[in-house]
Amino acid sequence: MNQQHQHQRDAAAYQDFVSSAVDFSGCYVRNGFVTATRSVRDIDTNSRRSFVYNIPLISPSLAAPPMELSAKIKARIPSPSGNKLAVLVEESVPSDIEGKGQDTKRHVMEIWTNKGHQLAKRIVLPSTINGPVCTDFAWFGGISWSPDETALVYSAEVNKPKTASYFAASSKEDDKEDDDTIVGGQYTLGVGKKEDWGEKYGTTALLALFCLNVSTGKIGAVENVPACTNTASQTTDGNHVLGQPIFSPCGQAVVYTGWDAGGGGEMPRRLGAIYCYHRPCQIYSSPVSQLLKTLEIDTTEDEDETVADDNFVCITPNDRLSRSPRFSSPSDGVAKLAYLSHTKGFDTHNGCMALHTSDWCMSKGSVVDGSKKVVVDVVTLPGERGDGETISGLKFP
């Protein structure tokens, strides 16, 4: 009996320990409120539950109780002004009217206006354009608003080519419709089978960037990227995995991280990434002005006559590791692009990164040459903890 009580006490202690864990994400300040999403582990159901906190800056003591998010909500991205809110929802759709078949999942982007209180539009992200949206914002994933709040950029899986068995019966009509179908390729690596990043990223193989106009609902792939992952082979040969996209403050370009997946010559295989942060990656910039203009037009008549955007630019060509780009607010026509970087990289699973900045010209929509600066260099050995306000030379409020 005492042993049973001990087990109950141990289980209760473990429950208290797990439920008190702090795992915050999506923290931002809009309209005088601090909004944060907290994820809590539910050991009884072996799942995670998410809660949204809205805390007024004027009087934090008047904060309302947290609100639990539905498991269908995968991301909540506020616009720069706070007037709009993009909500990524994962829905289950019956495969037939009677509901006897297996349900399929789809992603829907909901656009809420009036400071997030009014649902203005629901845009289904077609599976014919891109695969599942990557919602792992701790590493590969990312969704970002344009400065004028008319478009979103997101990272999503590249669709596999259509395949068919050698022994599948086909009609002449099927042959006409599926000219791009690869017969016998369903079990071939690079065609029907993808090489994923392993471990936690067993469903992540190739990620590309896509822009969505929130008014017309049109979606377009960002084609001027390294190795053009949207059309290249699904194998590691000549590819990059693109993620962490963010619009530049001028709205003319998208800045993102590109991981070498065979295209850069340093990663012959896609090894695990969840506990290994030394996978070769660099930061790139791709102009998207022409793409955004195309998406603004609610018709497909003149799409063949559109002008292509300029080619991409590698912002960190001399760094082996560069990731997590962020922009500051512009001042006097210049914004600061901050990112984590390590010139030589490190041989262990993880290591210290330096904090670098570069100037971004608002008129040209590109990085100013020779403007790279080291804000905090790589710390080889840990030093003093600071006085609570200044850490590594940076003063925090």
Side-chain angles (χ1 to χ4, degrees), residues 298-338:
D298 197 7
T299 179
T300 58
E301 294 180 358
D302 301 328
E303 286 190 0
D304 295 337
E305 302 178 2
T306 57
V307 180
D309 285 299
D310 294 335
N311 200 9
F312 70 91
V313 175
C314 181
I315 298 176
T316 59
N318 300 321
D319 296 331
R320 178 177 172 82
L321 304 175
S322 296
R323 57 179 174 85
S324 305
R326 299 290 188 274
F327 278 104
S328 69
S329 300
S331 177
D332 297 329
V334 177
K336 291 289 185 180
L337 171 62

Coordinates of all heavy atoms in Angstrom, one line a residue, residues 298-338:
D298 N -6.0 39.7 -60.4 CA -6.9 38.6 -60.1 C -7.4 37.9 -61.4 O -8.5 37.7 -61.7 CB -8.2 39.1 -59.4 CG -9.0 38.0 -58.7 OD1 -8.5 36.9 -58.8 OD2 -10.1 38.3 -58.2
T299 N -6.4 37.6 -62.3 CA -6.6 37.0 -63.6 C -5.3 36.4 -64.0 O -4.3 36.7 -63.6 CB -7.2 37.9 -64.6 OG1 -7.4 37.2 -65.8 CG2 -6.2 39.1 -64.8
T300 N -5.4 35.4 -64.9 CA -4.2 34.8 -65.4 C -3.9 35.1 -66.9 O -3.1 34.5 -67.6 CB -4.4 33.2 -65.3 OG1 -5.5 32.8 -66.1 CG2 -4.5 32.8 -63.9
E301 N -4.6 36.2 -67.4 CA -4.5 36.4 -68.8 C -3.1 36.9 -69.2 O -2.5 36.5 -70.3 CB -5.5 37.5 -69.2 CG -6.9 37.0 -69.1 CD -7.9 38.1 -69.5 OE1 -7.4 39.3 -69.8 OE2 -9.1 37.9 -69.5
D302 N -2.5 37.8 -68.5 CA -1.2 38.4 -68.9 C 0.0 37.9 -68.1 O 1.0 38.5 -68.0 CB -1.3 39.9 -68.7 CG -2.4 40.6 -69.5 OD1 -2.7 40.0 -70.6 OD2 -3.0 41.6 -69.0
E303 N -0.1 36.7 -67.5 CA 0.9 36.2 -66.7 C 2.2 35.8 -67.5 O 3.3 35.9 -67.0 CB 0.5 35.0 -65.8 CG -0.4 35.4 -64.7 CD -0.7 34.2 -63.8 OE1 -0.2 33.1 -64.1 OE2 -1.4 34.4 -62.8
D304 N 2.0 35.4 -68.8 CA 3.1 35.0 -69.6 C 4.0 36.2 -70.0 O 5.1 36.1 -70.4 CB 2.6 34.3 -70.9 CG 1.9 33.0 -70.6 OD1 2.2 32.5 -69.5 OD2 1.1 32.6 -71.4
E305 N 3.4 37.5 -69.9 CA 4.2 38.7 -70.2 C 4.8 39.3 -69.1 O 5.4 40.4 -69.2 CB 3.2 39.6 -70.9 CG 2.5 39.0 -72.2 CD 1.5 40.0 -72.8 OE1 1.4 41.2 -72.3 OE2 0.9 39.7 -73.8
T306 N 4.8 38.8 -67.9 CA 5.3 39.4 -66.7 C 6.9 39.3 -66.8 O 7.5 38.4 -67.4 CB 4.9 38.7 -65.4 OG1 5.2 37.3 -65.5 CG2 3.4 38.9 -65.2
V307 N 7.5 40.3 -66.1 CA 8.9 40.4 -66.1 C 9.5 39.6 -64.9 O 8.9 39.7 -63.8 CB 9.4 41.9 -66.0 CG1 10.9 42.0 -66.0 CG2 8.8 42.7 -67.2
A308 N 10.5 38.8 -65.1 CA 11.0 38.0 -64.0 C 11.8 38.9 -63.1 O 12.4 39.9 -63.5 CB 11.9 36.9 -64.6
D309 N 11.9 38.5 -61.8 CA 12.7 39.2 -60.8 C 14.2 39.0 -61.0 O 14.5 38.0 -61.7 CB 12.3 38.8 -59.4 CG 10.9 39.4 -59.0 OD1 10.9 40.6 -58.9 OD2 10.0 38.6 -58.7
D310 N 15.0 39.8 -60.5 CA 16.4 39.6 -60.6 C 16.9 38.4 -59.8 O 16.1 37.9 -59.0 CB 17.2 40.9 -60.0 CG 17.0 42.1 -60.9 OD1 16.7 41.9 -62.1 OD2 17.1 43.2 -60.4
N311 N 18.1 38.0 -60.1 CA 18.6 36.7 -59.4 C 18.8 37.0 -57.9 O 18.9 38.1 -57.5 CB 19.9 36.3 -60.1 CG 20.2 34.8 -59.9 OD1 19.3 34.1 -59.3 ND2 21.3 34.4 -60.2
F312 N 18.9 35.9 -57.2 CA 19.2 35.9 -55.8 C 20.6 36.4 -55.5 O 21.5 36.3 -56.4 CB 18.9 34.6 -55.1 CG 19.9 33.5 -55.5 CD1 21.1 33.3 -54.7 CD2 19.7 32.7 -56.6 CE1 22.0 32.4 -55.0 CE2 20.7 31.7 -56.9 CZ 21.8 31.6 -56.1
V313 N 20.8 36.8 -54.3 CA 22.2 37.3 -53.8 C 22.5 36.6 -52.5 O 21.6 36.5 -51.6 CB 22.2 38.8 -53.6 CG1 23.6 39.2 -53.0 CG2 22.0 39.5 -55.0
C314 N 23.7 36.0 -52.4 CA 24.1 35.4 -51.1 C 24.7 36.5 -50.3 O 25.7 37.2 -50.6 CB 25.1 34.3 -51.4 SG 25.7 33.5 -49.8
I315 N 24.1 36.8 -49.1 CA 24.5 37.9 -48.2 C 25.7 37.5 -47.4 O 26.6 38.3 -47.0 CB 23.4 38.3 -47.3 CG1 22.2 38.8 -48.2 CG2 23.8 39.4 -46.3 CD1 21.0 39.2 -47.4
T316 N 25.9 36.2 -47.1 CA 27.0 35.7 -46.3 C 27.9 34.7 -47.0 O 28.0 33.6 -46.6 CB 26.5 35.1 -45.0 OG1 25.6 34.0 -45.4 CG2 25.7 36.1 -44.2
P317 N 28.5 35.1 -48.1 CA 29.3 34.1 -48.9 C 30.5 33.5 -48.2 O 31.0 32.5 -48.6 CB 29.6 34.9 -50.2 CG 29.7 36.3 -49.7 CD 28.6 36.4 -48.7
N318 N 31.1 34.3 -47.3 CA 32.3 33.9 -46.6 C 32.1 33.2 -45.3 O 33.0 32.9 -44.6 CB 33.2 35.1 -46.4 CG 33.6 35.7 -47.8 OD1 33.8 35.0 -48.8 ND2 33.6 37.1 -47.8
D319 N 30.8 32.9 -44.9 CA 30.5 32.3 -43.6 C 30.0 30.9 -43.9 O 29.1 30.7 -44.7 CB 29.5 33.1 -42.9 CG 30.0 34.5 -42.5 OD1 31.2 34.6 -42.3 OD2 29.2 35.4 -42.4
R320 N 30.5 29.9 -43.1 CA 30.1 28.6 -43.3 C 28.7 28.4 -42.7 O 27.8 27.6 -43.2 CB 31.0 27.6 -42.6 CG 30.6 26.1 -42.6 CD 31.7 25.2 -42.0 NE 31.2 23.9 -41.9 CZ 31.2 23.0 -42.9 NH1 31.6 23.3 -44.1 NH2 30.7 21.7 -42.7
L321 N 28.4 29.1 -41.6 CA 27.1 29.0 -40.9 C 26.5 30.4 -40.8 O 27.2 31.3 -40.2 CB 27.3 28.4 -39.5 CG 27.9 27.0 -39.4 CD1 28.1 26.6 -38.0 CD2 27.1 26.0 -40.2
S322 N 25.3 30.6 -41.2 CA 24.6 31.9 -41.1 C 23.1 31.5 -41.1 O 22.6 30.8 -42.0 CB 24.9 32.9 -42.2 OG 26.3 33.2 -42.2
R323 N 22.4 32.1 -40.1 CA 20.9 31.8 -40.1 C 20.2 32.8 -39.2 O 20.8 33.8 -38.7 CB 20.7 30.4 -39.5 CG 21.3 30.2 -38.1 CD 21.0 28.8 -37.5 NE 21.7 28.5 -36.3 CZ 21.3 28.8 -35.1 NH1 20.1 29.5 -35.0 NH2 21.9 28.5 -34.0
S324 N 18.9 32.7 -39.1 CA 18.0 33.5 -38.3 C 18.1 35.0 -38.6 O 18.5 35.8 -37.7 CB 18.4 33.3 -36.8 OG 18.3 31.9 -36.4
P325 N 17.8 35.4 -39.8 CA 17.8 36.8 -40.1 C 16.6 37.6 -39.5 O 15.5 37.1 -39.4 CB 17.7 36.8 -41.7 CG 16.9 35.6 -42.0 CD 17.4 34.6 -40.9
R326 N 16.9 38.8 -39.1 CA 15.9 39.7 -38.5 C 16.2 41.1 -38.9 O 17.4 41.5 -39.0 CB 15.9 39.6 -36.9 CG 15.6 38.3 -36.3 CD 14.2 37.9 -36.6 NE 13.9 36.7 -35.8 CZ 14.1 35.5 -36.3 NH1 14.6 35.3 -37.4 NH2 13.7 34.4 -35.5
F327 N 15.2 41.9 -39.1 CA 15.3 43.3 -39.5 C 14.9 44.3 -38.4 O 14.0 44.0 -37.6 CB 14.5 43.6 -40.8 CG 15.1 43.2 -42.1 CD1 14.6 42.1 -42.7 CD2 16.1 44.0 -42.6 CE1 15.2 41.7 -43.9 CE2 16.7 43.6 -43.8 CZ 16.2 42.5 -44.5
S328 N 15.6 45.4 -38.3 CA 15.2 46.5 -37.5 C 14.3 47.5 -38.2 O 14.2 47.4 -39.4 CB 16.4 47.2 -36.9 OG 17.1 47.9 -38.0
S329 N 13.7 48.4 -37.5 CA 12.9 49.4 -38.2 C 13.9 50.4 -38.9 O 15.0 50.7 -38.4 CB 12.1 50.2 -37.1 OG 11.3 49.4 -36.4
P330 N 13.5 50.8 -40.1 CA 14.4 51.6 -40.9 C 14.5 53.0 -40.3 O 13.6 53.6 -39.7 CB 13.7 51.7 -42.3 CG 12.3 51.4 -42.0 CD 12.3 50.5 -40.8
S331 N 15.7 53.6 -40.6 CA 15.9 55.0 -40.2 C 16.8 55.7 -41.2 O 17.9 55.1 -41.5 CB 16.6 55.0 -38.8 OG 16.9 56.4 -38.4
D332 N 16.4 56.8 -41.7 CA 17.2 57.6 -42.7 C 17.5 56.7 -44.0 O 18.6 56.7 -44.5 CB 18.5 58.1 -42.2 CG 18.3 59.1 -41.0 OD1 17.3 59.8 -41.1 OD2 19.1 59.1 -40.1
G333 N 16.5 55.9 -44.4 CA 16.6 55.1 -45.6 C 17.4 53.8 -45.4 O 17.7 53.2 -46.4
V334 N 17.8 53.5 -44.2 CA 18.6 52.3 -43.9 C 18.0 51.5 -42.8 O 17.6 52.1 -41.8 CB 20.1 52.7 -43.6 CG1 20.9 51.4 -43.3 CG2 20.7 53.4 -44.8
A335 N 18.0 50.2 -43.0 CA 17.6 49.3 -41.9 C 18.7 48.4 -41.6 O 19.6 48.2 -42.4 CB 16.3 48.5 -42.3
K336 N 18.7 47.8 -40.4 CA 19.7 46.9 -40.0 C 19.2 45.4 -40.1 O 18.2 45.1 -39.7 CB 20.1 47.1 -38.5 CG 20.8 48.4 -38.2 CD 22.3 48.4 -38.8 CE 23.0 49.7 -38.4 NZ 24.4 49.6 -38.9
L337 N 20.1 44.6 -40.8 CA 19.8 43.2 -40.9 C 20.7 42.5 -39.9 O 21.9 42.5 -40.1 CB 20.0 42.7 -42.3 CG 20.0 41.2 -42.5 CD1 18.6 40.6 -42.2 CD2 20.4 40.8 -43.9
A338 N 20.1 41.8 -38.9 CA 20.9 41.1 -37.9 C 20.7 39.6 -38.1 O 19.7 39.1 -38.5 CB 20.4 41.5 -36.5

